[in-house]
Amino acid sequence: MGAMRAARLIKMVLLLQSRPSMTAAELARELEVSERTVTRDAQALSEAGVPVYADRGRVGGYRLVGGYRTRLTGLARGEAEALFLSGVPGALREMGLEDTASAARLKVSAALLPSLRDAPRTAAQRFHLDAPNWFREAPAPELLPAVADAVWDDRRVVARYRRGATEVERELEPYGLVLKAGVWYLCARVPGHGAFRVYRVDRFALVGAGTERFERDPEFDLPAFWEERAEQFSRSILRTEVVVRLSPEGRRALPHAVDPVAAREALAEAAGADGEGDGDGWVTVTLPVESEEVARTQLTALGPEAEVLAPASLREWFAAQAVRLALLYGPGRSA
């Protein structure tokens, strides 16, 4: 039996373990084969002692008889180790899921072949996922476990949300949680409104979950939604433009000092207009930034590799800083 077919047969057994029954069409779609191949594979499993039963009739399908369970014999070592890299430990703890995740890992470990029993340990010794930024103490929001429970159960919540100095009350359908740089966000929808919104979990003053469940939109894709929303947010806060002249080294460093997407777009536009720049390799870019105050900090990181041309107020600020630096480091000054 070829390795590909063996892997497919194991996947078929695991699929049937996870559901009461599946039609030949469903199995064919999951396994990416024809229904005829599904029929042959089911017969091969039956001949090998796996109790696959074929239900006849118009809505017939396949199911496992007698609560049959198989050990995870089809896992390669790399696959087994990867199972224990799928979560962020701190995030699970903050959501109140640490014990549940630990129990799940124990059950998976028990199902592994003896030769793979060390997979959890070998993975944990080599990889650790730490989500928050450096130098940031971000305590878990007190209401995060309640929000996570509602997300898991598809239960509507009534929440009070701090918006500036005021609080607003909303009924929400909590679709998903996102951990971004140590901050938790809830992606939710107000019943009766099609648009999804994003809320910072640490700004909830109250979250009350009732017994009413909502019907989840099957088309909602949390990773895709978050990626689109994050890009919209990053663009929305870039309300000011500055004009900067950059050396070759400044061009390389710019994406590390300011918003990288804005930097790449500005550099691409400058390259299209000026080619390789002036005779010294310097180019002039028009760069969107959040504000002049933010631009001061960001562009200071480029040092003498950047010259601010506009706005005039920002150029004057950098000129004043240059004078102060010259006084600190000029001739006759010593440490």
Side-chain angles (χ1 to χ4, degrees), residues 36 80 100 115 133 142 168 171 175 178 182 206 226 229 257 267 269 275 284 332:
R36 178 171 297 190
T100 302
S115 61
N133 281 335
E142 183 180 349
V168 295
E171 184 180 17
Y175 266 69
V178 175
L206 175 71
W226 180 259
R229 183 57 60 91
L267 289 169
E269 184 175 344
T284 300

Side-chain angles (χ1 to χ4, degrees), residues 298-315:
Q298 293 176 332
L299 297 178
T300 295
L302 300 180
E305 308 303 331
E307 178 190 2
V308 174
L309 303 180
S313 56
L314 185 60
R315 180 178 175 85

Side-chain angles (χ1 to χ4, degrees), residues 126-183:
R126 289 164 173 80
F127 301 98
H128 175 69
L129 304 178
D130 186 13
N133 281 335
W134 286 104
F135 314 118
R136 181 189 181 99
E137 291 186 7
E142 183 180 349
L143 296 174
L144 177 61
V147 175
D149 284 344
V151 170
W152 276 114
D153 292 341
D154 293 343
R155 278 184 290 127
R156 287 183 178 176
V157 299
V158 175
R160 285 211 305 267
Y161 188 74
R162 289 186 289 267
R163 184 170 292 167
T166 63
E167 290 185 3
V168 295
E169 186 169 298
R170 293 280 187 272
E171 184 180 17
L172 299 175
E173 295 176 347
Y175 266 69
L177 283 164
V178 175
L179 178 61
K180 171 69 172 178
V183 179

